[in-house]
Amino acid sequence: MTPITYELIKTDKQTGARLGRVHTPHGSFDTPTFMPVGTLATVKTMSPEELEQIDAKIILSNTYHLWLRPGEEIIREAGGLHSFMNWKGAILTDSGGFQVFSLSDMREITEEGVYFRNHLNGDKLFLSPEKAMQIQNALGSDIMMAFDECPPYPATYEYMKQSVERTSRWAERCLKAHERPEEQGLFGIVQGGEFEDLRKMSAQDLVSLDFPGYAVGGLSVGEPKEVMNRVLEFTTPLLPADKPRYLMGVGSPDSLIDGAIRGIDMFDCVLPTRIARNGTCMTSTGRLVVRNAKYAKDFRPIDEHCDCHVCKNYTRAYIRHLIKCNETFGFRLTTYHNLYFLVKLMKQVRAAISEDRLGDFREEFFERYGFNKP
Ligand SMILES: CNc1nc2c(CCc3ccc(C(F)(F)F)cc3)c3[nH]c(N)nc(=O)c3cc2[nH]1
Ligand SMILES: [Zn+2]
């Protein structure tokens, strides 16, 4: 029935990492993978052709943002998000709940849904499981996310318990409102904060609803990395081994590796595109802030170990000059390189899993990149 299927190819003998493949109506992708963020129907400064060049197979977009601008009816009339933005690969859309909490100041949560103000013009708005499904249906994404509440960190046990129970009821309402289950997959989102019994309750509720895939939500909201890792250690085993697992909002290179080790298959991160726009690049020996004066006459590539188009044709001095002059081409160069860096990192992670050495790879990468020891 669902168009989203997962193939578990093998598990790393050194860690809990999995090598897999996800099949969607717009192509398949190997996992673990990271998904570039394309909030407003574009991965900022990148063309679809460039995303194909760097081997990106799936991108993210957002119910909340596209509902506000340009409105889901325009995208529906365009034939869906794929034709609107001329992207031939897969698209995953978030359900908007998280964005309401992180963007809108005035909001009220009820059993029905969430009342809030449009962060652009202050209008009163209402988003519910049914509305979120209607918007994602218009967008035509390959993978939709259930409408959930991502509680703030920290939250009391009582608040978290109420929230998890409501998120489970909302997940059921999403399934009922799902108009084209044979064309679009719908993932449930596990909540429960740092409380093991609530994570178990949330996972059991959602697994009993038999979604084609699951996300671990409620993380990367300010909790220490150790808390995230502990939550993953007792949450991913509760999820079916034959379905994809998406850790929402993660993240930095070290978190991608640590999430993969704990059984996560899919990640989203705003990092590569966001830091690129302030002239920060990811390199194999850590971050490089190319706008620093010390690179004014540095005619080496961003990363001497990188074989991307940018590192083969442009220098730090030139990119620094463009960024200092706020030239768009400068942001395109740093973004292209950062995305290429993360796509390559995930290829290295998959290669390490296939050779049962992801634990060793983590050591080498952390040492070279400069992450502190666990
Ligand atoms: C940054 N930390 C974080 N991000 C989180 C997100 C957003 C993920 C997302 C989706 C789409 C985009 C888009 F820009 F590409 F559109 C950007 C980011 C969550 N989303 C939901 N639904 N539940 C969660 O519990 C949750 C927890 C999250 N922690
Ligand atoms: Zn490069």
Side-chain angles (χ1 to χ4, degrees):
M1 162 84 121
T2 175
I4 305 297
T5 54
Y6 176 72
E7 249 181 281
L8 173 56
I9 293 167
K10 78 176 288 271
T11 304
D12 175 55
K13 288 192 177 57
Q14 276 188 351
T15 67
R18 307 147 27 110
L19 183 64
R21 257 177 96 69
V22 175
H23 301 279
T24 83
H26 285 90
S28 305
F29 53 91
D30 295 322
T31 58
T33 192
F34 105 92
M35 304 177 282
V37 157
T39 312
L40 292 166
T42 168
V43 175
K44 288 182 172 40
T45 79
M46 289 289 100
S47 70
E49 294 76 18
E50 286 165 327
L51 291 173
E52 283 166 22
Q53 264 170 37
I54 63 165
D55 255 351
K57 303 283 186 206
I58 175 167
I59 63 169
L60 258 68
S61 199
N62 197 286
T63 297
Y64 173 76
H65 294 89
L66 294 173
W67 175 37
L68 267 51
R69 286 184 299 184
E72 77 278 9
E73 282 320 310
I74 288 177
I75 297 178
R76 187 197 299 274
E77 280 178 42
L81 198 47
H82 289 88
S83 54
F84 188 56
M85 66 183 287
N86 183 39
W87 170 247
K88 298 176 180 59
I91 298 176
L92 182 152
T93 47
D94 196 7
S95 48
F98 181 82
Q99 287 72 29
V100 166
F101 296 108
S102 54
L103 287 173
S104 169
D105 46 3
M106 200 296 276
R107 62 185 175 269
E108 184 200 351
I109 308 180
T110 67
E111 182 62 28
E112 269 316 287
V114 184
Y115 294 87
F116 60 98
R117 288 209 181 281
N118 178 330
H119 72 287
L120 301 169
N121 62 15
D123 288 354
K124 258 201 100 145
L125 292 170
F126 174 68
L127 197 52
S128 65
E130 291 75 16
K131 182 67 186 165
M133 292 300 289
Q134 178 205 331
I135 295 167
Q136 293 182 90
N137 177 49
L139 301 178
S141 42
D142 301 291
I143 300 174
M144 307 154 101
M145 300 309 293
F147 187 72
D148 63 331
E149 182 194 359
C150 172
Y153 178 84
T156 64
Y157 183 86
E158 287 64 33
Y159 184 85
M160 192 58 79
K161 188 166 187 300
Q162 298 302 319
S163 172
V164 166
E165 289 166 347
R166 182 170 49 212
T167 285
S168 294
R169 291 193 295 272
W170 284 357
E172 220 157 344
R173 285 168 51 185
C174 287
L175 277 171
K176 287 197 182 68
H178 194 182
E179 291 174 38
R180 298 183 288 144
E182 69 294 337
E183 289 171 64
Q184 298 179 278
L186 174 63
F187 281 16
I189 305 177
V190 176
Q191 294 290 349
E194 57 192 304
F195 306 104
E196 185 163 2
D197 60 331
L198 297 183
R199 284 282 176 185
K200 197 178 184 83
M201 181 174 81
S202 178
Q204 284 172 340
D205 290 351
L206 298 176
V207 170
S208 68
L209 295 171
D210 194 22
F211 286 99
Y214 295 90
V216 179
L219 290 175
S220 189
V221 286
E223 76 285 353
K225 280 205 161 81
E226 302 70 50
V227 170
M228 180 191 302
N229 286 337
R230 184 169 54 83
V231 168
L232 290 178
E233 278 152 20
F234 60 64
T235 302
T236 49
L238 303 170
L239 300 174
D242 62 345
K243 297 195 173 161
R245 301 154 181 175
Y246 163 25
L247 174 54
M248 305 192 86
V250 172
S252 54
D254 57 321
S255 301
L256 295 181
I257 294 172
D258 282 340
I261 283 172
R262 290 166 179 80
I264 295 293
D265 308 304
M266 296 160 67
F267 303 87
D268 71 68
C269 22
V270 294
L271 212 59
T273 42
R274 181 170 295 168
I275 64 171
R277 290 197 298 285
N278 64 37
T280 301
C281 301
M282 297 170 164
T283 78
S284 39
T285 54
R287 285 189 175 194
L288 183 141
V289 184
V290 76
R291 63 182 308 137
N292 281 356
K294 66 182 174 183
Y295 300 119
K297 295 183 180 172
D298 186 338
F299 300 105
R300 291 175 293 173
I302 285 176
D303 183 347
E304 302 192 276
H305 303 287
C306 181
D307 54 351
C308 87
H309 177 76
V310 173
C311 292
K312 283 195 280 201
N313 294 285
Y314 302 95
T315 66
R316 294 169 180 185
Y318 176 60
I319 295 170
R320 174 183 176 277
H321 158 66
L322 295 179
I323 298 280
K324 295 288 283 181
C325 301
N326 212 21
E327 277 292 340
T328 304
F329 187 52
F331 302 121
R332 283 176 33 74
L333 294 172
T334 52
T335 300
Y336 186 102
H337 165 79
N338 282 352
L339 289 172
Y340 184 96
F341 177 86
L342 277 186
V343 168
K344 192 170 84 177
L345 173 62
M346 298 320 278
K347 282 178 181 167
Q348 291 170 321
V349 165
R350 294 195 295 269
I353 295 171
S354 64
E355 295 159 11
D356 295 317
R357 57 175 177 79
L358 185 56
D360 299 338
F361 178 76
R362 180 186 188 281
E363 288 305 305
E364 294 150 22
F365 184 81
F366 274 44
E367 187 60 41
R368 208 175 40 245
Y369 198 86
F371 287 114
N372 49 16
K373 289 286 171 215

